[in-house]
Amino acid sequence: MMTPDAHLLIVDDDERIRGLLQKFLMRNGYLVTTARDADQARRLMAGLDFDMLVLDVMMPGLDGISFTRELRARLAVPILLLTARGESQNRIEGLEAGADDYLVKPFEPKELLLRINAILRRVPQVKPSEPVNRHLSLGPYRYDPDRGELWKGDELIRLTATEAQLMRVFAATPGAPVPREKLGSDEGGDRAVDVQITRLRRKLEDDPRQPRYLQTVRGEGYMLAPD
């Protein structure tokens, strides 16, 4: 179920939690590096590539949500947030910052493992040796379903794991509405789906408030409408 040799970065100011999560995830086949705060995480990321980050929200210095916003400005690496605060609004705040998922403490390690596995399965597995056989035209953008890549001219648009999964779902049935329940997890409900759609529209539409390509179909869900 997991991605072979995936390298995770665990960022938490609690040394005990860092150690427990590192041992548990390594026993389940992952490579795991830990950091105590955002500053140490930045130094590690300057020299290492990670397949996914697990960030505690309540950390000294830069908190996990602010760090997520910072990372999203330049990286599409999947991010899972951990927090002791379980209110819906805090989950939405994490999603709006760019997180792919949100897990409330205390949690069972097995649940964390399942969520990590699920997020990494959504990450497009690019195969550079394969030619591009088809794509969907979306005005100045083009989407390659085989590679899971969104391009604007010669510029590759960074997609988070969740955004990439949404594009794959929409591209499977272009021109047909996709119900909300097929687009998001139970946590956060419809509002969480709306947040993800809004983020994706910002990358896909000239005017996200008047979407041309990622349309809302009243009473049915959302639809990708290529040229």
Side-chain angles (χ1 to χ4, degrees):
M1 291 178 60
M2 69 174 192
T3 302
D5 298 325
H7 193 175
L8 310 179
L9 176 60
I10 308 295
V11 188
D12 195 305
D13 63 308
D14 189 319
E15 183 177 1
R16 175 178 166 276
I17 291 178
R18 290 199 308 270
L20 289 174
L21 293 183
Q22 183 177 36
K23 290 178 182 178
F24 174 75
L25 293 170
M26 289 180 69
R27 283 200 304 269
N28 282 275
Y30 285 108
L31 302 175
V32 182
T33 299
T34 66
R36 63 181 174 273
D37 55 25
D39 286 340
Q40 187 178 22
R42 287 194 199 97
R43 292 193 293 271
L44 289 168
M45 295 176 72
L48 295 171
D49 291 326
F50 295 98
D51 298 290
M52 183 174 171
L53 273 59
V54 179
L55 306 181
D56 184 33
V57 169
M58 302 300 291
M59 295 187 295
L62 194 67
D63 64 83
I65 291 178
S66 298
F67 191 34
T68 297
R69 291 195 186 98
E70 174 189 307
L71 293 172
R72 276 291 167 261
R74 56 187 175 85
L75 295 173
V77 61
I79 296 173
L80 172 66
L81 291 177
L82 303 177
T83 182
R85 299 182 301 181
E87 292 84 355
S88 176
Q89 182 55 41
N90 290 320
R91 294 199 297 270
I92 295 303
E93 185 181 6
L95 293 172
E96 287 179 331
D100 293 277
D101 204 351
Y102 197 103
L103 186 57
V104 177
K105 297 178 180 179
F107 55 83
E108 291 293 331
K110 179 68 172 179
E111 182 179 4
L112 174 63
L113 179 64
L114 291 173
R115 287 180 184 245
I116 290 173
N117 289 342
I119 291 172
L120 289 177
R121 282 200 304 270
R122 299 199 298 261
V123 178
Q125 300 300 309
V126 178
K127 301 177 180 178
S129 61
E130 295 184 357
V132 177
N133 296 320
R134 60 192 179 97
H135 66 267
L136 298 176
S137 296
L138 306 157
Y141 300 88
R142 70 180 187 279
Y143 177 69
D144 181 349
D146 296 323
R147 295 177 181 266
E149 294 176 346
L150 179 66
W151 293 82
K152 184 177 184 180
D154 295 330
E155 177 189 1
L156 177 64
I157 306 300
R158 290 193 183 96
L159 297 175
T160 67
T162 300
E163 291 164 354
Q165 174 63 10
L166 286 174
M167 285 299 296
R168 286 188 181 277
V169 172
F170 286 127
T173 55
V178 179
R180 287 171 177 268
E181 55 267 24
K182 290 188 177 181
L183 297 174
S185 63
D186 293 336
E187 293 227 12
D190 287 348
R191 174 62 177 146
V193 173
D194 292 339
V195 169
Q196 301 290 358
I197 293 295
T198 297
R199 285 169 45 191
L200 186 54
R201 279 174 171 163
R202 289 174 185 153
K203 298 182 178 181
L204 189 62
E205 304 281 358
D206 290 332
D207 184 357
R209 294 170 297 181
Q210 296 182 340
R212 160 67 180 85
Y213 301 107
L214 187 47
Q215 300 178 5
T216 300
V217 182
R218 190 175 298 276
E220 296 188 60
Y222 295 98
M223 177 180 72
L224 188 68
D227 295 328

